[in-house]
Amino acid sequence: MGEKTFRLYDTMTKQVKELQTKEPGHLKFYACGPTVYSYAHIGNFRSFLTADLIVRVAKAIGWKVTFVNNITDVGHMTDDDLADGQGEDKLEKALKSKEGEHFHNVWELAEHYTNAFENDWRALNLLPPDVRPKATQHVRQQILAAETLIEKGNAYETPTGVYYSVESFPEYGKLSGNTQDNLRQAVRDVVQDDNKRAPADFALWKKDDKHLMQWYSPFGWGFPGWHIECTVMAREYLGDSIDLHSGGEDNMFPHHECEIAQSESLTGQPFSGHWVHTRFLQVNGEKMSKSAGNFYTVRDLIAKGADPLAVRYGLIAGIYGKPLNFTDQGVRDAQANIERYRKADQIAKSSSGDGPDTLGPMLDDLYNQTLEALCNDLNTPVALAKALEGARTIIKEGDSITRATGDSAKRFLDGVNSLLGIVYSEYDDGFTAIQASAPNVDASLIEAKIVERAEAKASKDFARADAIRKELEELGIELRDSPTGTEWVVKSSL
Ligand code: AMP
Ligand code: ZN
């Protein structure tokens, strides 16, 4: 097994090539995590599932894996996707929105959406990362990196912040093709900061003593830019030079391009040996957007009755390098397959009686073909088809399955689960974790309960009033009484 090659498309060299580890048999992998200003949507999870499959395949071929997936809880600006650091911090903006009214402050909002993200992660059966670092817990390292980049002549300070000078890194653009000659086009629409030397220069530090999340630095009060967080966290946990970096297709430029410039200027080493980008998820053939009404979070789908493993199945059903169209029919088909696996699992467990192993060699072969398909640039359609063929074969064997065949069936299903995560949850609390997270509770229901409680109090039915408070508390909702009425907030310990 150790000799198996794992081939993946590399955005940098634009070819499918063997994934290699600098340290023999130890993959060091960084996947850009979510910005926790809202619930992650299923498109975000499509990208995280690519990373999860890579981790699973790497482990299956015998590698040790150190997998880092961060939490972006400061500094991601609304206009960051345009190559510059302008606009408003996404978390600050979220706090001012209607949903934001339920939080006392921006820290609580970040904590709430971080917990929700981790619950969704578990519900979709992604393996836990080795480290899940937060940008806000690495501000010191980001300040030091900005200082070093200034010393090295790669960055400069202005009255508004510290900016990385794109001109100082001639290789800028090597990942995305947005080289300095082409950049004029890419940054055309960006709001200009007259203090910057060139329009494409991007912020390492923003000076802002009004920002809701601010730290003191040698440049005064402010907060770090989005790109520098991944540079310092990848370096802190994985070293100067990593084996693999991944994200969604929109991360390629400017985020990953900027990460490369910063990291390689700091260390003088190539930042990552391999780059993987997942193409966007579409819903019913259209771009997923709130205004189009086709915007789904994991919890939305579960609320509609979808099995989380079926959501996972639907999201990995297409090749990551091509856009995927997610449909209700796709989830229904996936649901039927998840049930086939459950049935096969039951049959394997209920085997009894002596007799020969009739399926062993065939199932071993199907497992190998499943792994082989995944090693071939994560060809999930083929992998899922091979795995399902095995499950169908076990179901056909039915109640007459011998103990020896049952053992082979169990080994096959465990193997398929370790590769694809679709047979059973890796977490005991896989499903309940998401139900326990109150945020999905309908606001109008809470308002109705508050009215009911006020009525109970007015008629001196204090036992009923207390019971309502308790009921909401169990849903993670805290009530706050004041002379002007009762307010509700989401408990930060969710
Ligand atoms: P964000 O929370 O915006 O920082 O995004 C988290 C991750 O999800 C990033 O790697 C994005 O590139 C990725 N992503 C965002 N939208 C989609 C989508 N529709 N399909 C696939 N990946 C996405
Ligand atoms: Zn990142």
Side-chain angles (χ1 to χ4, degrees):
M1 271 311 191
E3 287 147 37
K4 219 167 185 62
T5 56
F6 185 6
R7 292 163 58 77
L8 282 170
Y9 183 81
D10 171 36
T11 314
M12 182 73 85
T13 54
K14 298 189 176 48
Q15 57 183 2
V16 177
K17 66 170 201 183
E18 186 181 341
L19 177 61
Q20 283 178 323
T21 62
K22 284 185 194 68
E23 187 188 316
H26 182 183
L27 181 70
K28 295 178 186 165
F29 177 18
Y30 187 97
C32 286
T35 308
V36 286
Y37 67 106
S38 182
Y39 297 113
H41 56 68
I42 53 173
N44 301 131
F45 271 101
R46 176 172 203 222
S47 289
F48 301 132
L49 281 162
T50 301
D52 184 55
L53 290 175
I54 292 172
V55 169
R56 286 166 179 272
V57 173
K59 287 184 174 171
I61 63 173
W63 288 352
K64 175 181 167 194
V65 179
T66 306
F67 175 51
V68 180
N69 180 236
N70 67 296
I71 296 285
T72 297
D73 52 359
V74 68
H76 192 167
M77 312 298 276
T78 48
D79 291 353
D80 262 338
D81 304 332
L82 296 172
D84 194 9
Q86 302 290 342
E88 210 179 341
D89 188 309
K90 291 190 177 192
L91 276 96
E92 275 204 10
K93 191 173 171 211
L95 190 70
K96 292 183 208 148
S97 74
K98 185 89 190 81
E99 287 87 18
E101 286 172 12
H102 302 309
F103 304 101
H104 296 103
N105 54 52
V106 74
W107 302 95
E108 206 174 89
L109 179 142
E111 188 185 347
H112 171 77
Y113 289 119
T114 303
N115 290 339
F117 169 71
E118 287 176 346
N119 279 339
D120 291 352
W121 180 281
R122 277 193 289 270
L124 290 193
N125 209 19
L126 288 88
L127 296 177
D130 297 277
V131 194
R132 191 177 303 288
K134 292 181 179 167
T136 52
Q137 289 172 356
H138 297 77
V139 174
R140 184 173 163 273
Q141 291 91 326
Q142 295 179 74
I143 293 170
L144 290 173
E147 281 189 303
T148 310
L149 286 167
I150 293 175
E151 276 161 29
K152 286 178 171 265
N154 297 102
Y156 56 92
E157 185 177 350
T158 77
T160 54
V162 177
Y163 289 92
Y164 184 92
S165 163
V166 163
E167 207 186 71
S168 75
F169 189 68
E171 289 175 63
Y172 192 87
K174 64 183 172 180
L175 180 72
S176 61
N178 282 323
T179 57
Q180 291 180 47
D181 286 345
N182 297 335
L183 262 174
R184 256 177 289 281
Q185 182 71 17
V187 298
R188 199 185 41 190
D189 301 327
V190 167
V191 185
Q192 258 308 308
D193 176 343
D194 291 336
N195 294 296
K196 286 200 307 184
R197 290 184 193 157
D201 293 355
F202 55 90
L204 302 175
W205 185 262
K206 286 254 171 191
K207 296 182 182 177
D208 185 353
D209 61 8
K210 303 279 180 306
H211 198 263
L212 294 179
M213 296 169 133
Q214 53 175 292
W215 291 262
Y216 194 67
S217 77
F219 327 111
W221 288 98
F223 62 99
W226 173 36
H227 314 303
I228 193 72
E229 66 168 270
C230 289
T231 286
V232 305
M233 292 189 282
R235 193 177 186 195
E236 172 118 354
Y237 298 102
L238 299 171
D240 287 355
S241 211
I242 69 176
D243 301 312
L244 174 62
H245 198 311
S246 77
E249 62 177 305
D250 60 328
N251 283 160
M252 200 188 306
F253 182 83
H255 187 50
H256 289 165
E257 199 70 72
C258 297
E259 280 188 44
I260 293 170
Q262 298 163 152
S263 300
E264 298 191 357
S265 305
L266 282 168
T267 68
Q269 304 287 322
F271 178 37
S272 178
H274 214 116
W275 289 88
V276 164
H277 292 97
T278 301
R279 296 296 302 275
F280 267 3
L281 178 83
Q282 299 177 334
V283 173
N284 297 320
E286 285 176 45
K287 185 179 186 298
M288 188 168 59
S289 72
K290 278 195 171 140
S291 53
N294 64 357
F295 183 94
Y296 293 120
T297 62
V298 174
R299 51 203 60 222
D300 289 337
L301 291 168
I302 292 174
K304 280 176 78 180
D307 182 321
L309 288 187
V311 177
R312 177 184 172 96
Y313 199 113
L315 288 172
I316 63 172
I319 290 175
Y320 76 93
K322 293 192 177 142
L324 173 70
N325 190 24
F326 192 83
T327 60
D328 285 350
Q329 187 56 44
V331 182
R332 280 194 288 273
D333 293 345
Q335 185 88 41
N337 289 334
I338 295 296
E339 272 148 29
R340 287 190 179 96
Y341 279 107
R342 292 218 170 105
K343 180 117 209 273
D345 205 31
Q346 267 168 13
I347 290 173
K349 283 180 185 148
S350 63
S351 63
S352 66
D354 298 334
D357 178 3
T358 51
L359 298 182
M362 185 194 189
L363 291 177
D364 285 350
D365 193 38
L366 284 170
Y367 170 83
N368 286 334
Q369 289 183 52
T370 306
L371 177 57
E372 195 59 50
L374 291 170
C375 284
N376 181 17
D377 200 18
L378 293 183
N379 190 337
T380 46
V382 170
L384 289 167
K386 293 294 170 194
L388 193 61
E389 204 180 316
R392 286 181 191 278
T393 311
I394 297 166
I395 293 170
K396 245 191 243 151
E397 196 76 2
D399 293 340
S400 62
I401 194 164
T402 63
R403 196 170 298 120
T405 310
D407 287 349
S408 292
K410 189 89 196 78
R411 190 175 65 244
F412 171 78
L413 292 167
D414 287 346
V416 165
N417 202 50
S418 68
L419 289 179
L420 293 163
I422 51 173
V423 185
Y424 48 80
S425 174
E426 313 274 359
Y427 300 90
D428 293 341
D429 62 347
F431 190 58
T432 48
I434 197 158
Q435 293 171 322
S437 62
N440 209 21
V441 169
D442 187 351
S444 56
L445 182 111
I446 299 171
E447 306 290 356
K449 291 274 175 203
I450 290 176
V451 171
E452 200 189 325
R453 178 169 165 266
E455 285 165 358
K457 270 185 169 175
S459 58
K460 304 229 180 312
D461 185 356
F462 296 113
R464 175 74 194 129
D466 280 346
I468 293 171
R469 172 190 281 280
K470 216 158 160 247
E471 192 185 325
L472 290 174
E473 230 161 48
E474 270 160 17
L475 292 171
I477 304 296
E478 192 180 313
L479 297 184
R480 304 230 164 120
D481 293 318
S482 76
T484 52
T486 302
E487 276 180 356
W488 63 275
V489 289
V490 177
K491 278 199 300 186
S492 58
S493 60
L494 275 174

